[in-house]
């Protein structure tokens, strides 16, 4: 697999030099400063390519993560054709610049969501964590969303109430900031009233309505992606469960199968995120990799350890609930199939995702989940798994 590294642009405190020193050859990035729904111009794309190439480290822009989908598309409101047209033009411009893989998500309002960004790990390191009782405390007692307490056990509600009653105003502000932290780059952040207003735009939306809006988007853009040689790959929900009353439609194997059937074209593909899918108790991630192998165009490799109540924590890359060796084996097997079939572009780009904050990462202020040394460790461990498997298995 092509070893890649997420970089948030020139303002990222983790530099391109760090990516190269970690052993990556490809960069995963986006034009975060461009508003949603606006065309990515050839000039902006070439500027980013030059920023990656100019240090002379041998790095290339390998994957676009992400070309965002405008919120109007997810809601299905207004005249969407101009937004679709701009998205298609951005795809054409990216293809003209040599880009072939575009990751995107269809999560309403929020991207990945955690309640704690500095959960302690033995030895003084920290990790990202989703504590169900803190999420419920925010949704039920701070956001005061009607019906937020429904579907949760008495034990979780009691813990949520206890957390809320003991929390200071700073604790509550920190929880809001943590929940917003999954929105990288120049994305909107919301205060509590602003989040209430945004959620109101989705009030009463059923999962089937969100699926219909995704299908409309795919029908509008996949033919262009296929024409210009770009593979679009949807990222799973993170976490894979409804949040704040919002529907989630990219959480299970059946969800992925339904999405790929909406527009049955190879350009309509999947980002295999082992952490997002792995947080769902019913998902066998290596089995999903084998099931959807021919439509996986990008992989996020990370691990989580789940708690019985639905909470989870980012684990070491090889130490969580997902059998990472079996998952890497499935992806290497698919690469071998593509190579034997004569594909020119047979490699699956992968990146280590959501590393622990360790050693000199601590206190450095990198994007949450994206420290230098924690990801270096993850990439090294994954590289070791790949090297060992390739030494003993006849992938050909």
């Amino acid at each position: 697999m092509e070893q890649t590294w997420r970089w948030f642009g020139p303002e990222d405190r983790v530099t391109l030099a760090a990516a190269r020193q970690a052993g990556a050859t490809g960069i995963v990035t986006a034009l975060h400063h461009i508003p949603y729904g606006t065309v990515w111009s050839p000039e902006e794309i070439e500027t980013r390519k030059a920023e990656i190439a100019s240090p002379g480290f041998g790095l290339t822009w390998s994957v676009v993560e992400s070309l965002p989908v405008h919120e109007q598309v997810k809601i299905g409101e207004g005249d969407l054709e101009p937004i679709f047209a701009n998205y298609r033009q951005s795809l054409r411009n990216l293809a003209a610049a040599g880009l072939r893989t575009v990751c995107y998500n269809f999560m309403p309002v929020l991207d990945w969501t955690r309640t704690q960004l500095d959960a302690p790990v033995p030895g003084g390191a920290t990790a990202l964590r989703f504590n169900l009782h803190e999420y419920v405390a925010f949704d039920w007692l701070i956001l005061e969303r009607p019906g937020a307490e429904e579907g949760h056990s008495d034990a979780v509600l009691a813990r949520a109430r206890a957390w809320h009653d003991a929390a200071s105003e700073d604790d509550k502000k920190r929880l809001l900031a943590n929940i917003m932290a999954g929105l990288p780059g120049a994305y909107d952040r919301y205060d509590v009233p602003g989040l209430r207003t945004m959620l109101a735009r989705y009030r009463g939306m059923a999962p089937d309505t969100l699926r219909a809006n995704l299908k409309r988007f795919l029908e509008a853009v996949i033919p262009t992606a296929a024409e210009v040689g770009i593979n679009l790959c949807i990222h799973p929900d993170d976490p894979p469960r409804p949040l704040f009353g919002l529907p989630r439609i990219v959480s299970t194997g059946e969800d992925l199968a339904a999405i790929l059937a909406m527009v049955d074209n190879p350009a309509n593909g999947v980002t295999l995120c082992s952490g997002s899918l792995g947080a769902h108790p019913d998902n066998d991630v290596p089995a999903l990799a084998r099931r959807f192998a021919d439509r996986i165009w990008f992989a996020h490799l990370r691990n989580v350890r789940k708690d019985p109540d639905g909470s989870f924590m980012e684990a070491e890359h090889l130490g969580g609930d997902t059998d990472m060796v079996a998952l890497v084996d499935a992806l290497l097997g698919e690469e071998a199939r593509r190579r034997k079939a004569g594909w020119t572009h047979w490699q699956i780009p992968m990146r280590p995702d959501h590393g622990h904050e360790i050693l000199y990462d601590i206190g450095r202020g990198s994007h949450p989940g994206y420290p230098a040394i924690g990801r270096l460790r993850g990439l090294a461990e994954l590289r070791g798994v790949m090297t060992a498997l390739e030494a003993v298995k006849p992938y050909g």
Side-chain angles (χ1 to χ4, degrees):
M1 285 181 280
E2 181 188 7
Q3 297 171 40
T4 69
W5 187 268
R6 191 169 192 184
W7 183 60
F8 291 97
E11 303 305 315
D12 195 333
R13 296 191 181 188
V14 180
T15 64
L16 291 171
R20 189 65 190 93
Q21 291 169 31
T25 57
I27 292 297
V28 176
T29 193
L31 304 181
H32 295 299
H33 59 287
I34 296 180
Y36 287 13
T38 302
V39 173
W40 287 15
S41 70
E43 294 76 18
E44 291 279 6
I45 294 167
E46 290 299 332
T47 295
R48 179 52 52 88
K49 283 183 64 179
E51 288 166 344
I52 294 168
S54 60
F57 299 141
L59 297 168
T60 59
W61 188 358
S62 178
V63 178
V64 178
E65 185 179 353
S66 61
L67 181 59
V69 179
H70 197 284
E71 208 70 30
Q72 280 184 234
V73 174
K74 300 173 191 178
I75 299 170
E77 66 180 13
D79 181 8
L80 298 182
E81 184 49 41
I83 296 174
F84 293 151
N86 286 354
Y87 204 97
R88 290 190 291 263
Q89 189 58 51
S90 294
L91 292 175
R92 294 187 188 98
N93 294 344
L94 287 165
L99 277 301
R100 302 188 67 257
T101 306
V102 173
C103 173
Y104 72 101
N105 77 68
F106 216 74
M107 290 180 267
V109 183
L110 300 172
D111 204 314
W112 60 263
T113 302
R114 301 292 184 272
T115 64
Q116 190 174 4
L117 306 183
D118 57 356
V121 176
T126 64
L128 304 179
R129 183 173 172 84
F130 180 85
N131 291 311
L132 182 63
H133 71 280
E134 291 179 341
Y135 157 72
V136 173
F138 182 84
D139 191 25
W140 176 33
L141 301 169
I142 298 175
L143 193 61
E144 298 179 327
R145 182 177 64 84
E149 73 277 20
E150 296 173 5
H152 297 293
S153 70
D154 290 342
V156 168
L157 294 176
R159 288 190 71 194
R161 172 68 73 181
W163 182 93
H164 178 268
D165 290 350
S168 67
E169 287 305 309
D170 283 345
D171 292 332
K172 295 172 185 176
K173 290 177 182 177
R174 186 178 306 110
L175 180 57
L176 172 63
N178 292 348
I179 289 170
M180 292 294 111
L183 298 172
Y187 295 74
D188 287 336
R189 264 70 171 172
Y190 304 104
D191 57 12
V192 169
L195 184 55
R196 288 189 186 118
T197 299
M198 193 65 206
L199 293 175
R201 297 172 69 186
Y202 283 90
R203 187 170 295 141
M205 180 181 286
D208 281 349
T209 302
L210 188 61
R211 288 188 186 96
N213 294 342
L214 173 58
K215 185 173 188 288
R216 182 181 178 186
F217 167 73
L218 293 174
E219 289 174 339
V221 303
I222 288 297
T224 297
E227 175 189 340
V228 300
I230 279 185
N231 292 319
L232 279 169
C233 40
I234 195 166
H235 188 284
D237 302 326
D238 187 8
R241 56 174 299 147
L243 292 180
F244 306 114
L246 298 167
R248 295 281 196 151
I249 60 169
V250 199
S251 295
T252 67
E254 295 316 303
D255 288 340
L256 294 175
I259 290 164
L260 297 182
M262 288 175 182
V263 178
D264 190 9
N265 187 301
N268 178 25
V270 173
T271 295
L272 195 286
C273 180
S274 56
S276 299
L277 293 168
H280 194 294
D282 296 335
N283 285 339
D284 178 336
V285 182
L288 292 177
R290 292 188 293 270
R291 179 179 177 183
F292 299 110
D294 63 343
R295 300 283 277 274
I296 294 171
W297 303 122
F298 185 32
H300 292 177
L301 299 184
R302 61 181 175 90
N303 225 323
V304 299
R305 182 168 285 109
K306 299 182 287 294
D307 296 339
D309 71 352
S311 303
F312 62 89
M313 183 167 171
E314 304 281 357
E316 298 173 355
H317 283 75
L318 305 185
D321 294 338
T322 293
D323 184 341
M324 192 62 71
V325 175
L327 175 56
V328 171
D329 178 43
L331 295 174
L332 290 177
E334 172 58 17
E335 283 191 329
R337 184 195 69 80
R338 297 177 185 185
R339 188 167 61 248
K340 289 175 184 176
W343 290 31
T344 302
H345 302 287
W346 52 266
Q347 280 192 304
I348 299 173
M350 74 84 172
R351 66 172 179 83
D353 201 10
H354 290 193
H356 288 180
E357 197 167 85
I358 61 176
L359 300 173
Y360 303 111
D361 286 330
I362 297 172
R364 187 175 181 180
S366 55
H367 284 273
Y370 293 95
I373 304 171
R375 283 187 291 161
L376 179 152
R377 177 186 175 182
L379 184 56
E381 291 175 344
L382 294 166
R383 185 184 303 123
V385 170
M386 290 188 290
T387 302
L389 284 170
E390 289 168 342
V392 299
K393 296 202 69 168
Y395 293 110

